[in-house]
Amino acid sequence: MGYPPQGAGAGGITDVGALEDSYIELFKKKDPRAARLFPYVELLYNAGKLTADDIAGYINDVLTYIPKIAEDFEKLFSAEFLASVINSNYLVASKIAAIFDNVNLSTSKIAAIINHNNLSASKAAAIFNYENLSVSKAAAVIDHDNLSASKAASIFNHENLSVSKAIMILNHGNLSVSKAAAIISDENLSASRAASIVNDENLSFTKVVSIFNNTNLLASKAGAIIGDSNLSPSKAYDIITHPDLPTDRMQSILYNTPVSSNLTYILTYGAGDLTVTSSTAVIGVNRYNTLTIESGVTLSIGGQPGTLIVKTLNCYGYLWKSSTGGTGGARGASGAGIGGDGGGGLIIFAGEFNNSYVVRADGGSGSSGTTVAANGSGGTGGSGVFYRVGTDTAGTGGNGGGSLGGAGNTNGGGGGGYSSTYSGGAGGSSTYITFNSYAELADEVKKAIIDWVIVNVFGKSPTTTKSIPNIYGSGGGGGAAVDGYCAAGGGGGGGGQIIVLCNSFNNTGTIRANGGYGGSGGTEGDYDSCGGGGGGGIVYVLYKTLVNTGTLSVAGGTHGATVDYHGTNGTAGTAKAVQI
């Protein structure tokens, strides 16, 4: 359908009033004779004589010559006006797709139309989804500077654009990696939708890696995609470990990946399984795919920090962190009690945490006095270190028995004492490293675990790294020795610290960091004082999904048992299970 000549040759029409009302009515009725009005429809729209629906319906049902429509879209009408018309339900997406695909309509004009707020993302997505609009033209439009990454992201996020068509557009050379990265990074494209697109095997893996390496894709969004369940764990691993992804970029993305099945898969990929069927000892940081501790046996972890990185943990027996905290204070002389060592630090990063018996990081018990043949004061217990949130605290150790029993501290118990000359040793004190929130603490632990794997498993060297927290309780004070009068017991070691960071937490047993018992006084004389109990430690369980909380215990240890001077018990620490 052709139109009359424009400008002076068409009668010099510039006044809307000069367009006969009869033709306007014909136009509304979709009469082909009203086609002469088409070059002036924007004027009529602005004057309120035609609606967007009127114009959309005429284009859809009357005008058939696509090249001419495309030419007029290019030359006669503003992008704002066309966006309103195209958004109408009276103009089907398939026809607009054909118009957009015509060579007479430039990518710059289409991009400007698509970008305008008058055109919804749902209608734009439907247009892009039709095969009438070629992939090459669609990719060129998406890539154009006139179309913002934000609007493009809204289109890619909409269900009217199929994942398969989105992938064809992303794969095409007309869409640059930088623009694709900006689109995927935008908040209008959800991480779950982006993960579905990235996961599809038809999307070029080379382009995927290039997009993840591009700085237009923020590490925060890249991490959210890597951790999303719509992206397979194996695909996530392949992206993160691709040799074209620089180490610092890998680290940044992993830092921003939430605790999830995918992150656990990445950090435990290639690790072996261990089933503990007889009591076994390991040391330091250990990584497993599945770790199973059978009923009736113990897996003990020595060294500082004691760490498990495991995809699935099944504990039916004892998981014991040895007392590798602050050293117990020395005894005043042979025959007096030595302070108990502080409980060690145990960090568990797991995809699935399942415990039905006991996981512990208790303080060591102070040893009991017997008889002495020399005099001496007990030594002070070694100090501890705790990661805490806000004002959470470890417990306070109990005071040692006797007139000058050692003072309990945070969190070692004091050793038993006798006189101003030969006193019990004070319990060890502790240093706190404080975080503002449990999410902040979880993030710190997660980053340290990630860095350990990057360095020790992937064999790479990021510019900066975080160390796994070296956390532990403080030692109990040593017992005093006074020949003929007192063989005092040592103070109990303070409970250690356990941090569990996991995707799924199922505890039907006990997780504990209790203070150690104070040692009993001996049989030297009438002033055989006991050691005070160690204070409880700190237990944090930071989880994504909770199945069972079970029992979390940070009880203070009891003072030693003696008929002379008892001392006091330690107080409880802090135990919390928090969703992150």
Side-chain angles (χ1 to χ4, degrees):
M1 176 64 65
Y3 316 132
Q6 302 175 51
I13 298 174
T14 58
D15 181 5
V16 173
L19 299 169
E20 299 90 336
D21 287 342
S22 60
Y23 275 97
I24 293 174
E25 289 305 312
L26 288 174
F27 192 95
K28 291 181 178 180
K29 294 178 180 179
K30 303 178 184 177
D31 193 309
R33 290 174 293 174
R36 60 173 296 205
L37 297 185
F38 191 71
Y40 312 105
V41 290
E42 186 168 0
L43 287 171
L44 293 166
Y45 172 80
N46 291 334
K49 296 199 172 198
L50 287 176
T51 66
D53 286 346
D54 291 332
I55 300 162
Y58 202 86
I59 295 171
N60 194 74
D61 298 339
V62 179
L63 302 183
T64 58
Y65 190 49
I66 298 298
K68 179 60 176 171
I69 302 172
E71 181 181 357
D72 285 350
F73 274 23
E74 178 73 25
K75 296 179 178 179
L76 299 182
F77 308 125
S78 69
E80 179 181 2
F81 166 72
L82 288 172
S84 297
V85 173
I86 291 169
N87 200 54
S88 171
N89 291 332
Y90 290 90
L91 183 51
V92 297
S94 59
K95 188 153 190 178
I96 289 300
I99 295 169
F100 278 2
D101 198 53
N102 193 270
V103 295
N104 289 337
L105 188 55
S106 66
T107 55
S108 61
K109 187 63 173 280
I110 299 171
I113 295 168
I114 296 290
N115 197 58
H116 202 278
N117 290 335
N118 288 347
L119 180 58
S120 68
S122 62
K123 185 63 174 283
I127 293 167
F128 276 103
N129 200 55
Y130 269 97
E131 61 183 14
N132 292 351
L133 178 58
S134 67
V135 174
S136 60
K137 187 73 172 280
V141 170
I142 294 290
D143 193 62
H144 201 279
D145 290 342
N146 284 348
L147 180 56
S148 70
S150 178
K151 185 63 176 282
S154 297
I155 294 168
F156 272 81
N157 195 56
H158 203 278
E159 61 183 5
N160 285 348
L161 180 63
S162 67
V163 169
S164 59
K165 187 62 177 284
I167 288 169
M168 286 189 282
I169 295 170
L170 285 169
N171 270 338
H172 202 278
N174 284 347
L175 179 56
S176 66
V177 168
S178 60
K179 185 63 174 283
I183 293 168
I184 292 175
S185 188
D186 193 89
E187 62 182 8
N188 287 333
L189 178 58
S190 69
S192 60
R193 171 77 168 179
S196 295
I197 293 170
V198 171
N199 195 59
D200 197 288
E201 61 181 9
N202 291 317
L203 182 59
S204 163
F205 190 67
T206 300
K207 194 151 193 178
V208 168
V209 174
S210 297
I211 290 170
F212 272 80
N213 194 32
N214 192 280
T215 55
N216 282 349
L217 176 56
L218 297 178
S220 57
K221 185 62 172 287
I225 295 169
I226 289 294
D228 195 272
S229 59
N230 284 339
L231 183 64
S232 71
S234 60
K235 190 71 168 281
Y237 178 84
D238 290 342
I239 293 170
I240 282 296
T241 59
H242 196 278
D244 289 345
L245 197 66
T247 300
D248 284 354
R249 178 68 173 174
M250 168 203 281
Q251 181 194 53
S252 182
I253 293 173
L254 287 175
Y255 273 9
N256 284 278
T257 301
V259 175
S260 57
S261 297
N262 282 6
L263 181 60
T264 306
Y265 180 93
I266 292 168
L267 298 181
T268 60
Y269 182 82
D273 297 333
L274 175 63
T275 299
V276 181
T277 56
S278 61
S279 293
T280 302
V282 296
I283 190 168
V285 181
N286 295 270
R287 198 174 69 103
Y288 304 104
N289 180 54
T290 299
L291 171 61
T292 301
I293 304 169
E294 297 287 8
S295 176
V297 299
T298 299
L299 175 64
S300 61
I301 303 177
Q304 280 290 130
T307 306
L308 293 176
I309 305 170
V310 57
K311 184 178 178 183
T312 303
L313 171 62
N314 300 312
C315 180
Y316 307 110
Y318 261 112
L319 175 55
W320 176 50
K321 178 66 190 79
S322 57
S323 300
T324 50
T327 304
R331 57 192 176 188
S334 177
I338 301 170
D341 292 336
L346 177 59
I347 295 174
I348 301 173
F349 178 90
E352 294 183 20
F353 179 99
N354 304 299
N355 173 54
S356 59
Y357 198 56
V358 176
V359 177
R360 55 172 280 193
D362 296 340
S365 295
S367 64
S368 297
T370 53
T371 58
V372 298
N375 303 326
S377 295
T380 300
S383 59
V385 178
F386 290 97
Y387 274 29
R388 71 169 178 180
V389 175
T391 58
D392 292 347
T393 60
T396 301
N399 297 325
S403 57
L404 275 177
N409 217 320
T410 308
N411 60 341
Y418 168 66
S419 69
S420 58
T421 305
Y422 304 112
S423 59
S429 60
S430 295
T431 299
Y432 288 119
I433 298 171
T434 304
F435 296 85
N436 294 319
S437 67
Y438 297 99
E440 184 182 7
L441 171 60
D443 199 53
E444 182 73 12
V445 173
K446 179 185 73 174
K447 289 176 179 178
I449 296 294
I450 287 167
D451 283 345
W452 188 91
V453 172
I454 289 175
V455 173
N456 294 281
V457 179
F458 298 160
K460 298 180 179 294
S461 301
T463 302
T464 61
T465 58
K466 291 182 175 291
S467 298
I468 294 175
N470 192 19
I471 47 179
Y472 48 88
S474 59
V482 184
D483 187 17
Y485 293 91
C486 172
Q497 182 165 16
I498 298 174
I499 300 176
V500 178
L501 178 59
C502 62
N503 190 42
S504 172
F505 181 71
N506 183 16
N507 177 42
T508 56
T510 299
I511 300 174
R512 74 187 203 207
N514 294 342
Y517 298 122
S520 297
T523 56
E524 181 64 23
D526 293 334
Y527 303 96
D528 293 298
S529 306
C530 68
I538 295 179
V539 171
Y540 286 137
V541 175
L542 309 172
Y543 63 85
K544 297 291 284 187
T545 302
L546 177 64
V547 181
N548 290 295
T549 303
T551 300
L552 308 179
S553 175
V554 283
T558 58
H559 59 71
T562 178
V563 295
D564 295 334
Y565 299 97
H566 287 171
T568 58
N569 298 331
T571 64
T574 298
K576 293 184 177 179
V578 181
Q579 186 174 40
I580 54 170

Short mmCIF file of all heavy atoms in Angstrom, two decimals, residues 17 53 75 112 117 136-137 172 177 181 187 201 224 233 290 304 324 341 361 375 388 413 426 449 491 548 572 574:
data_model
loop_
_atom_site.label_atom_id
_atom_site.label_comp_id
_atom_site.label_asym_id
_atom_site.label_seq_id
_atom_site.Cartn_x
_atom_site.Cartn_y
_atom_site.Cartn_z
N GLY A 17 -5.38 20.27 11.26
CA GLY A 17 -6.76 20.59 10.95
C GLY A 17 -7.10 20.47 9.49
O GLY A 17 -8.28 20.35 9.11
N ASP A 53 -3.47 2.81 19.65
CA ASP A 53 -4.17 1.60 19.21
C ASP A 53 -4.73 1.77 17.79
O ASP A 53 -4.71 0.81 17.00
CB ASP A 53 -5.31 1.27 20.16
CG ASP A 53 -4.81 0.70 21.49
OD1 ASP A 53 -3.63 0.32 21.57
OD2 ASP A 53 -5.62 0.64 22.45
N LYS A 75 12.39 7.30 8.76
CA LYS A 75 12.52 8.71 8.34
C LYS A 75 11.49 9.65 8.94
O LYS A 75 11.76 10.85 9.11
CB LYS A 75 12.44 8.79 6.81
CG LYS A 75 13.58 8.09 6.09
CD LYS A 75 13.41 8.20 4.58
CE LYS A 75 14.58 7.53 3.84
NZ LYS A 75 14.41 7.61 2.37
N ALA A 112 16.88 2.64 19.59
CA ALA A 112 16.27 3.78 20.27
C ALA A 112 14.80 3.50 20.61
O ALA A 112 14.30 3.88 21.68
CB ALA A 112 16.39 5.03 19.41
N ASN A 117 10.93 3.91 27.29
CA ASN A 117 10.08 3.36 28.34
C ASN A 117 8.66 3.06 27.86
O ASN A 117 7.93 2.30 28.53
CB ASN A 117 10.02 4.32 29.53
CG ASN A 117 11.33 4.41 30.28
OD1 ASN A 117 12.12 3.47 30.26
ND2 ASN A 117 11.57 5.54 30.94
N SER A 136 21.13 -12.13 13.47
CA SER A 136 22.20 -11.15 13.22
C SER A 136 21.71 -9.73 13.47
O SER A 136 22.42 -8.91 14.07
CB SER A 136 22.73 -11.29 11.79
OG SER A 136 21.70 -11.07 10.85
N LYS A 137 20.47 -9.42 13.02
CA LYS A 137 19.92 -8.08 13.23
C LYS A 137 19.62 -7.86 14.71
O LYS A 137 19.90 -6.79 15.27
CB LYS A 137 18.65 -7.91 12.39
CG LYS A 137 18.05 -6.49 12.40
CD LYS A 137 18.89 -5.53 11.57
CE LYS A 137 18.24 -4.16 11.38
NZ LYS A 137 17.20 -4.15 10.34
N HIS A 172 26.07 -14.77 18.71
CA HIS A 172 26.37 -14.11 17.44
C HIS A 172 27.49 -13.08 17.59
O HIS A 172 27.60 -12.38 18.60
CB HIS A 172 25.12 -13.42 16.88
CG HIS A 172 25.20 -13.20 15.41
ND1 HIS A 172 25.87 -12.14 14.85
CD2 HIS A 172 24.70 -13.92 14.37
CE1 HIS A 172 25.78 -12.19 13.53
NE2 HIS A 172 25.07 -13.28 13.21
N VAL A 177 31.33 -9.05 23.50
CA VAL A 177 31.48 -9.64 24.83
C VAL A 177 31.22 -8.59 25.90
O VAL A 177 30.57 -8.86 26.91
CB VAL A 177 32.89 -10.24 24.99
CG1 VAL A 177 33.16 -10.59 26.45
CG2 VAL A 177 33.04 -11.48 24.12
N ALA A 181 28.37 -8.91 28.66
CA ALA A 181 28.74 -8.92 30.08
C ALA A 181 27.95 -7.88 30.86
O ALA A 181 27.50 -8.14 31.98
CB ALA A 181 30.24 -8.69 30.24
N GLU A 187 21.03 -5.71 37.13
CA GLU A 187 20.10 -6.25 38.13
C GLU A 187 18.75 -6.66 37.53
O GLU A 187 18.00 -7.43 38.15
CB GLU A 187 19.87 -5.22 39.23
CG GLU A 187 19.24 -3.93 38.77
CD GLU A 187 19.06 -2.92 39.88
OE1 GLU A 187 19.57 -3.15 40.98
OE2 GLU A 187 18.41 -1.88 39.64
N GLU A 201 24.00 -25.92 26.84
CA GLU A 201 25.17 -26.41 26.10
C GLU A 201 25.32 -25.73 24.74
O GLU A 201 26.40 -25.80 24.13
CB GLU A 201 25.07 -27.92 25.92
CG GLU A 201 23.87 -28.38 25.13
CD GLU A 201 23.78 -29.88 24.99
OE1 GLU A 201 24.56 -30.58 25.67
OE2 GLU A 201 22.95 -30.36 24.20
N ALA A 224 26.94 -14.82 42.02
CA ALA A 224 25.55 -15.25 42.20
C ALA A 224 25.15 -16.28 41.15
O ALA A 224 24.42 -17.23 41.44
CB ALA A 224 24.63 -14.04 42.15
N PRO A 233 26.76 -27.95 38.74
CA PRO A 233 28.04 -27.86 39.46
C PRO A 233 29.24 -28.05 38.54
O PRO A 233 30.25 -27.36 38.69
CB PRO A 233 27.94 -28.97 40.50
CG PRO A 233 26.47 -29.16 40.72
CD PRO A 233 25.84 -28.91 39.39
N THR A 290 33.28 -37.15 50.64
CA THR A 290 32.37 -37.62 51.70
C THR A 290 33.21 -38.13 52.86
O THR A 290 34.10 -38.97 52.68
CB THR A 290 31.45 -38.74 51.20
OG1 THR A 290 30.64 -38.25 50.13
CG2 THR A 290 30.54 -39.22 52.32
N GLN A 304 46.76 -26.55 64.56
CA GLN A 304 45.98 -25.31 64.51
C GLN A 304 46.18 -24.65 63.16
O GLN A 304 47.34 -24.47 62.74
CB GLN A 304 46.42 -24.36 65.61
CG GLN A 304 45.83 -24.67 66.98
CD GLN A 304 44.34 -24.39 67.06
OE1 GLN A 304 43.59 -25.25 67.49
NE2 GLN A 304 43.89 -23.23 66.61
N THR A 324 44.33 -27.90 71.59
CA THR A 324 45.53 -27.25 71.07
C THR A 324 45.48 -25.74 71.26
O THR A 324 46.09 -24.98 70.51
CB THR A 324 45.68 -27.57 69.58
OG1 THR A 324 44.44 -27.30 68.91
CG2 THR A 324 46.06 -29.02 69.35
N ASP A 341 45.03 -27.43 79.10
CA ASP A 341 45.20 -26.66 77.86
C ASP A 341 43.85 -26.18 77.34
O ASP A 341 42.81 -26.83 77.52
CB ASP A 341 45.85 -27.53 76.78
CG ASP A 341 47.29 -27.89 77.11
OD1 ASP A 341 47.93 -27.14 77.87
OD2 ASP A 341 47.77 -28.92 76.59
N ALA A 361 35.17 -29.57 70.96
CA ALA A 361 36.44 -28.83 71.07
C ALA A 361 36.54 -28.33 72.51
O ALA A 361 36.61 -27.13 72.78
CB ALA A 361 36.50 -27.69 70.07
N ASN A 375 58.31 -25.76 97.18
CA ASN A 375 57.35 -24.66 97.17
C ASN A 375 57.38 -23.94 95.81
O ASN A 375 58.42 -23.90 95.13
CB ASN A 375 57.67 -23.64 98.26
CG ASN A 375 57.70 -24.25 99.64
OD1 ASN A 375 56.94 -25.18 99.93
ND2 ASN A 375 58.57 -23.74 100.51
N ARG A 388 34.24 -13.50 67.18
CA ARG A 388 32.92 -13.32 67.74
C ARG A 388 32.13 -12.29 66.94
O ARG A 388 32.69 -11.51 66.16
CB ARG A 388 32.99 -12.87 69.19
CG ARG A 388 33.48 -11.43 69.37
CD ARG A 388 33.28 -10.97 70.78
NE ARG A 388 33.77 -9.61 71.00
CZ ARG A 388 33.70 -8.97 72.17
NH1 ARG A 388 33.15 -9.58 73.21
NH2 ARG A 388 34.17 -7.74 72.29
N GLY A 413 40.42 -21.34 83.67
CA GLY A 413 40.17 -21.39 85.11
C GLY A 413 41.46 -21.16 85.89
O GLY A 413 42.56 -21.51 85.44
N ALA A 426 46.87 -17.65 87.41
CA ALA A 426 45.63 -17.13 86.81
C ALA A 426 45.30 -17.87 85.52
O ALA A 426 46.19 -18.35 84.81
CB ALA A 426 45.76 -15.64 86.53
N ILE A 449 38.65 -20.19 53.36
CA ILE A 449 38.58 -21.55 52.81
C ILE A 449 38.85 -21.52 51.30
O ILE A 449 39.60 -22.35 50.76
CB ILE A 449 37.20 -22.18 53.09
CG1 ILE A 449 36.96 -22.34 54.59
CG2 ILE A 449 37.05 -23.51 52.35
CD1 ILE A 449 37.86 -23.33 55.26
N GLY A 491 43.88 -25.26 87.09
CA GLY A 491 42.61 -24.77 86.57
C GLY A 491 42.25 -25.43 85.25
O GLY A 491 43.12 -25.86 84.47
N ASN A 548 17.85 -29.87 61.46
CA ASN A 548 17.73 -29.99 62.92
C ASN A 548 18.88 -29.22 63.56
O ASN A 548 20.03 -29.31 63.12
CB ASN A 548 17.82 -31.46 63.36
CG ASN A 548 16.60 -32.26 62.96
OD1 ASN A 548 15.50 -32.00 63.45
ND2 ASN A 548 16.79 -33.22 62.07
N ALA A 572 29.22 -20.34 81.33
CA ALA A 572 28.97 -20.76 79.94
C ALA A 572 29.42 -19.71 78.94
O ALA A 572 29.44 -18.50 79.22
CB ALA A 572 27.48 -21.05 79.75
N THR A 574 29.14 -18.90 74.47
CA THR A 574 28.09 -18.54 73.52
C THR A 574 27.95 -19.64 72.47
O THR A 574 28.94 -20.08 71.89
CB THR A 574 28.42 -17.22 72.80
OG1 THR A 574 28.50 -16.16 73.76
CG2 THR A 574 27.37 -16.88 71.76
#
